[in-house]
Amino acid sequence: MKYFILIVVLLLSNGLSAQSPITTFEKSHGTQTATLDEAYTFYRQLEKQFPDKIKTDSKFNALPDLGVMQVELNYAEYENGVTILINNAIHPGEPDGVDASMLLAHDYCTGKLKLPKNVRVIIIPVFNVVGCLNRNKFSRANQDGPEEYGFRANGQNLDLNRDFIKCDAHETQGLRTLLLKENVDIFIDNHVSDGADYQHIITLLVSQHNKLEKPLDEFVTNKMIPELYTSMKKDKYDLIPYVNHFSETPEVGWQEFYDSPRFASGFAALFNIIPLVVETHMLKPYKQRVEATYVFLKNAIEYASTHSAEIKSTRKKSEESVMNRSKFYLNWQCDTSKFVMINFKGYAAKHKTSEVSGLPRLYYDRNEPFEKQVKFYNQYKPIDSVETPIAYIIPRGWYSIIEKTFVLGYFKDITNETLKRDTIIEVETYQLENFNTVKIAYEEHYMHSNTKVSKSKKQIQFHAGDYIIKPNANFLKRILVETLEPTAPDSYFNWNFFDAILQQKEGYSDYVFEDVAAEILKNDVALKNQLEEKKKADEIFAKSASQQLDWVYKHSKYYEGKVNQYPVYRLVK
């Protein structure tokens, strides 16, 4: 009898161990999301049971002892096709993708879904691992579930979805490298929206299409997105563009979100990767949001399989387009004269007296749903451009910028060399004339914007070891333009990596320089006339001895001349 019981126990034990793991989401009937440990344990258990279908690895670190897990599906059977990278919990308070990806991986491994051989899926279960560990119940005040979730920022209190071009975080460095190393074709970033109330469970943010290379723009806008909308509708989900409204309510329409390269999607677009940002609606129950994300991921994988060859050829054409371009657009603005009509399912927006302030407040009446056509302003136009130089020259003293480019890896394929000897080269230079700066730090930086420069040609002394970066004939040259041209919205200058040039280092004592200034004006009649004209035109200047002395100093050979001189130089024809 004892042996019989033992055999039964062993059989039951083996049977239980053979069962595939169950997610926290399923155990809680859709009210809870997995902790970091639960997510990692789930994938490792799945790998143990299905070693031919899934593998896990820690590819990069958030902290020295805490790696970001990378999960790969179909690695054993994958044949040449499309690589999809699914990123989750860049904002851990928005964990829908965490649980949807676990369900997806489970269903592909167990055979409930068939993963096509021409699609390789890489999943980042939790990108912001430190934020995921910082669990709470209250930081997403406007969100319906789950019961507990992570915090938006990482361990440095950075929003990682604003870090991609400046790359202050270890996590971002790892994901940027992964995007290129794995030759990712489609990048899906899972989020939860904020803002208005409406009927749609899921919305989609596609990288602003006008700034994409033309082959990619035409394919994504005219083929891929319409077909994804159709497949989602068949699955009972009315997909709609991310509701990026700036008026009080969205029923008057909205502008397409412009994702500059600080965002993960905008960064991916620089490399002709197709970026898709899933935004489920915050006020829908957690279970509905996860299920909608799951369905979208499934449909995106199916679409990639069906159109694998076209996706690859389109990306190749787009890379060739970049390689052959001599001019790039830097800043864009919405063309409000152009729009398309889209079907929007909303709720009536009304006002009532606030119980907090006693003043009128907005609310949405879910007892009055409506469906109507609204304006979607999805056309942007460039407002400036720049010709790509033959090369950029960066003095070796700016080693922090050199490290941001070459050491971090994504410029490794761009032709670069260092000067072998000291030499004078005629280059095009920028003088910073004007810019705005935020008063409160934005993502650890006192960021600049609306930067204006003047341009001139000068003979500059360069030294052995200075870097020459040649962007021509390489599809990566677009990121050189986006980072090294100071007027680009997310340039290294605008992220204030060059702020040392804004400070004057040498000066003078007034009583000493008075005699020197007098001698300068005595020997330079033209300069003295300019001074007199300025005094006539500026009454405050005319009454200020110190301003006049400083004016003479800054127009003399004694002025250092490096203040506001942008230290990246352009080699042009």
Side-chain angles (χ1 to χ4, degrees):
M1 185 66 177
K2 289 180 180 179
Y3 292 108
F4 176 75
I5 293 172
L6 179 60
I7 291 170
V8 171
V9 169
L10 288 172
L11 286 172
L12 287 172
S13 176
N14 289 334
L16 288 172
S17 64
Q19 291 178 355
S20 55
I22 301 174
T23 66
T24 301
F25 175 80
E26 292 170 297
K27 291 176 187 175
S28 67
H29 304 290
T31 63
Q32 297 177 8
T33 183
T35 65
L36 183 71
D37 183 61
E38 287 169 343
Y40 281 16
T41 299
F42 171 86
Y43 282 109
R44 291 189 182 111
Q45 288 176 346
L46 211 56
E47 179 184 33
K48 187 175 181 180
Q49 189 172 355
F50 302 99
D52 59 330
K53 295 185 176 181
I54 183 172
K55 67 176 179 179
T56 66
D57 195 4
S58 292
K59 287 295 184 183
F60 48 94
N61 291 334
L63 292 172
D65 59 343
L66 190 58
V68 175
M69 178 181 279
Q70 174 183 326
V71 176
E72 187 172 341
L73 301 177
N74 216 22
Y75 73 96
E77 297 184 355
Y78 171 71
E79 297 173 356
N80 188 38
V82 171
T83 296
I84 298 176
L85 176 59
I86 300 172
N87 189 46
N88 299 306
I90 195 170
H91 298 148
E94 307 169 21
D96 303 22
V98 174
D99 297 298
S101 295
M102 292 166 71
L103 295 172
L104 192 78
H106 174 272
D107 289 351
Y108 281 131
C109 287
T110 59
K112 183 177 179 180
L113 296 176
K114 183 172 177 56
L115 187 60
K117 288 186 178 182
N118 63 346
V119 177
R120 180 174 64 131
V121 178
I122 299 173
I123 298 171
I124 304 297
V126 175
F127 178 51
N128 182 354
V129 295
V130 179
C132 187
L133 291 171
N134 188 7
R135 289 172 74 85
N136 72 97
K137 297 181 179 181
F138 307 109
S139 60
R140 298 286 293 181
N142 294 339
Q143 187 170 292
D144 186 2
E147 294 175 7
E148 195 174 80
Y149 39 76
F151 185 64
R152 184 181 186 89
N154 79 337
Q156 298 167 258
N157 205 40
L158 293 174
D159 184 331
L160 295 180
N161 202 32
R162 309 292 186 272
D163 191 51
F164 275 79
I165 205 76
K166 64 186 178 74
C167 202
D168 289 327
H170 288 295
E171 300 96 320
T172 318
Q173 293 172 18
L175 188 56
R176 291 196 324 182
T177 302
L178 187 66
L179 282 166
L180 295 184
K181 182 180 178 183
E182 301 294 346
N183 192 24
V184 172
D185 298 292
I186 300 173
F187 174 66
I188 302 176
D189 202 14
N190 289 314
H191 289 255
V192 180
S193 72
D194 205 342
D197 195 7
Y198 42 80
Q199 299 173 53
H200 302 273
I201 297 172
I202 183 171
T203 72
L204 181 64
L205 189 161
V206 184
S207 189
Q208 204 290 310
H209 70 95
N210 296 111
K211 64 182 176 63
L212 301 178
E213 289 301 306
K214 188 174 181 180
L216 200 63
D217 176 12
E218 292 178 347
F219 172 73
V220 172
T221 303
N222 300 328
K223 295 181 179 181
M224 183 176 188
I225 299 308
E227 287 194 38
L228 284 175
Y229 269 63
T230 299
S231 63
M232 289 295 287
K233 192 171 186 65
K234 287 180 181 178
D235 287 324
K236 312 299 182 187
Y237 290 99
D238 287 314
L239 201 58
I240 195 169
Y242 171 64
V243 183
N244 180 46
H245 76 99
F246 292 99
S247 54
E248 187 176 39
T249 61
E251 61 197 71
V252 296
W254 61 87
Q255 297 178 8
E256 184 173 39
F257 183 82
Y258 182 83
D259 57 329
S260 69
R262 73 187 62 174
F263 300 98
S265 59
F267 182 83
L270 294 181
F271 304 98
N272 302 296
I273 297 168
I274 300 172
L276 304 173
V277 181
V278 175
E279 292 271 3
T280 55
H281 187 237
M282 59 180 180
L283 295 178
K284 300 299 182 289
Y286 187 59
K287 187 173 187 294
Q288 287 185 16
R289 304 199 321 257
V290 172
E291 290 170 348
T293 304
Y294 171 96
V295 172
F296 181 85
L297 296 176
K298 176 180 71 69
N299 284 333
I301 290 169
E302 290 172 357
Y303 181 88
S305 174
T306 305
H307 300 83
S308 173
E310 191 173 8
I311 290 170
K312 299 298 285 189
S313 66
T314 300
R315 289 196 66 225
K316 183 173 177 57
K317 289 176 186 176
S318 297
E319 290 178 359
E320 292 169 351
S321 175
V322 174
M323 291 166 64
N324 294 325
R325 281 176 62 181
S326 60
K327 181 170 71 174
F328 287 91
Y329 300 111
L330 299 179
N331 292 278
W332 299 74
Q333 68 181 20
C334 186
D335 185 348
T336 54
S337 68
K338 298 177 181 178
F339 56 86
V340 294
M341 302 301 293
I342 59 173
N343 193 52
F344 176 62
K345 294 182 177 181
Y347 296 114
K350 299 181 179 180
H351 290 84
K352 60 183 179 181
T353 302
S354 167
E355 295 181 13
V356 177
S357 66
L359 300 173
R361 52 147 291 190
L362 171 69
Y363 77 101
Y364 292 88
D365 190 344
R366 291 193 172 186
N367 293 316
E368 291 189 29
F370 67 81
E371 181 175 349
K372 72 174 186 177
Q373 296 283 301
V374 301
K375 293 177 180 179
F376 179 48
Y377 300 88
N378 65 339
Q379 296 296 324
Y380 278 69
K381 56 186 178 183
I383 56 177
D384 59 6
S385 64
V386 65
E387 293 287 336
T388 311
I390 297 170
Y392 289 102
I393 304 179
I394 306 179
R396 62 181 180 177
W398 287 97
Y399 53 84
S400 61
I401 300 300
I402 301 299
E403 288 174 356
K404 275 197 171 296
T405 56
F406 300 108
V407 175
L408 294 181
Y410 60 79
F411 287 169
K412 60 184 175 57
D413 295 324
I414 289 180
T415 303
N416 68 87
E417 58 190 49
T418 56
L419 286 174
K420 301 297 184 291
R421 59 186 177 83
D422 294 359
T423 184
I424 295 174
I425 305 174
E426 183 178 71
V427 291
E428 198 170 64
T429 72
Y430 289 134
Q431 184 75 17
L432 295 160
E433 300 294 345
N434 196 25
F435 53 87
N436 299 329
T437 304
V438 296
K439 294 182 178 180
I440 299 175
Y442 173 76
E443 296 303 321
E444 203 176 20
H445 293 257
Y446 283 87
M447 196 174 184
H448 309 307
S449 62
N450 299 318
T451 299
K452 307 298 180 187
V453 298
S454 59
K455 187 164 55 176
S456 62
K457 285 188 176 181
K458 293 181 181 180
Q459 298 280 332
I460 299 292
Q461 172 73 64
F462 294 99
H463 301 280
D466 290 348
Y467 273 82
I468 301 178
I469 308 170
K470 299 178 180 178
N472 291 335
N474 192 292
F475 81 95
L476 296 176
K477 66 181 177 181
R478 184 168 180 176
I479 194 168
L480 282 173
V481 172
E482 294 281 355
T483 54
L484 297 181
E485 290 292 333
T487 57
D490 277 340
S491 68
Y492 287 154
F493 172 77
N494 279 334
W495 278 105
N496 80 310
F497 289 113
F498 285 107
D499 274 11
I501 67 173
L502 306 178
Q503 182 185 9
Q504 182 177 322
K505 296 298 187 289
E506 297 283 8
Y508 57 88
S509 295
D510 290 10
Y511 78 96
V512 176
F513 193 68
E514 276 281 358
D515 296 333
V516 176
E519 191 67 24
I520 291 171
L521 294 175
K522 186 185 299 182
N523 296 323
D524 191 336
V525 176
L527 186 64
K528 181 174 178 57
N529 290 337
Q530 288 180 43
L531 176 63
E532 295 303 321
E533 289 297 322
K534 184 168 177 59
K535 286 195 285 186
K536 291 177 184 178
D538 188 338
E539 184 178 346
I540 296 176
F541 179 81
K543 294 179 179 179
S544 173
S546 62
Q547 286 188 33
Q548 293 178 46
L549 191 64
D550 190 62
W551 186 92
V552 175
Y553 173 73
K554 287 179 177 174
H555 285 78
S556 75
K557 64 182 179 181
Y558 298 100
Y559 183 55
E560 62 202 66
K562 291 186 177 181
V563 179
N564 291 348
Q565 173 70 61
Y566 185 61
V568 176
Y569 303 91
R570 293 163 45 92
L571 187 62
V572 296
K573 293 179 182 179

